[in-house]
Amino acid sequence: MNESRTPAQVLREARQKDSRDKRARVLAVVDQLLTDNEPVTFTGVARAANVSHWLVYAEGVREHIEAARRGQGRAATNNAHAGPKAPAGWKVEKQLLHEDNRRLRQEVERLKGAVRRNLGQQVDQIGAADLGSRVDELTTDNQRLQGERDEALARVKDLTDQLSEVQDDLAGARMSLRRMMRAENQASRK
């Protein structure tokens, strides 16, 4: 019979599987560090396994890391030509600090860029307020010029009408003059 699982059961099982996978990754990293004869530190293991610092200090994992560190400590003391050296793990801690510093520098640069962009936007907004008043001025000027254009067009129409009347009067006067000249020419021939 196929039992249906509740969403809570599915989530619980997924979390348990994820926890097992992470713990297995931590243990594999510790074993790899021991194989490579690299110092085992809690921070180094957490970073290499890509897990939280909390997990490397959790019960069942912490003991494994501490045992690996004790084993490395005994091997260092048994090493006959081991002179006064920095404790094991300092090299890894130093490397991790360098990585943290690099990451923090990148974050600072990213934040500086964000501040620059934000200031630029604020300057643009101040300019936008000036642009709004300039747009209002231009709109007023445009309306004034449209009024003047309309007046000029009306004046042109009046002048065109007057010109048409004057041309009609001129044409009439020319016709009258021609008639008078014909009549005068005919009267002088007779």
Side-chain angles (χ1 to χ4, degrees):
M1 169 164 124
N2 190 3
E3 287 185 32
S4 94
R5 299 181 301 172
T6 65
Q9 289 172 327
V10 171
L11 285 174
R12 186 174 29 260
E13 290 171 7
R15 287 179 58 202
Q16 288 171 351
K17 180 186 179 305
D18 186 47
S19 178
R20 283 191 305 270
D21 292 346
K22 286 180 180 179
R23 286 173 183 260
R25 271 200 326 255
V26 168
L27 297 178
V29 165
V30 170
D31 292 341
Q32 184 64 43
L33 289 173
L34 288 173
T35 303
D36 294 344
N37 201 20
E38 292 288 328
V40 177
T41 63
F42 286 98
T43 304
V45 170
R47 288 210 180 167
N50 196 23
V51 296
S52 69
H53 283 84
W54 174 87
L55 181 61
V56 294
Y57 288 102
E59 187 177 338
V61 177
R62 179 184 66 239
E63 292 81 7
H64 193 73
I65 294 173
E66 287 174 344
R69 291 181 63 154
R70 279 193 303 273
Q72 282 185 333
R74 280 192 297 270
T77 56
N78 291 339
N79 191 350
H81 60 276
K85 289 174 59 174
W90 280 18
K91 176 182 170 185
V92 172
E93 291 295 330
K94 183 178 176 183
Q95 180 183 1
L96 293 175
L97 286 174
H98 283 295
E99 290 173 11
D100 280 346
N101 285 342
R102 186 176 349 101
R103 183 184 52 79
L104 290 172
R105 281 189 199 103
Q106 290 171 347
E107 180 70 11
V108 165
E109 288 303 316
R110 186 186 66 77
L111 291 173
K112 281 182 183 178
V115 167
R116 284 187 196 114
R117 284 189 299 276
N118 192 5
L119 287 175
Q121 288 174 351
Q122 289 176 1
V123 167
D124 288 346
Q125 288 174 353
I126 291 170
D130 293 339
L131 288 177
S133 63
R134 181 68 179 140
V135 166
D136 291 341
E137 289 174 19
L138 291 174
T139 302
T140 303
D141 287 346
N142 187 24
Q143 290 171 348
R144 180 182 52 79
L145 290 172
Q146 284 178 349
E148 290 176 6
R149 183 203 62 197
D150 292 344
E151 290 173 8
L153 287 174
R155 179 82 176 126
V156 166
K157 184 177 182 311
D158 289 342
L159 290 174
T160 304
D161 290 345
Q162 287 177 5
L163 178 63
S164 179
E165 286 179 25
V166 168
Q167 285 176 340
D168 288 345
D169 290 346
L170 179 62
R174 283 183 182 158
M175 281 175 90
S176 295
L177 183 60
R178 282 188 198 133
R179 279 189 214 138
M180 283 180 24
M181 288 174 68
R182 273 191 219 140
E184 192 63 37
N185 282 338
Q186 286 177 359
S188 64
R189 284 192 199 161
K190 291 190 190 179

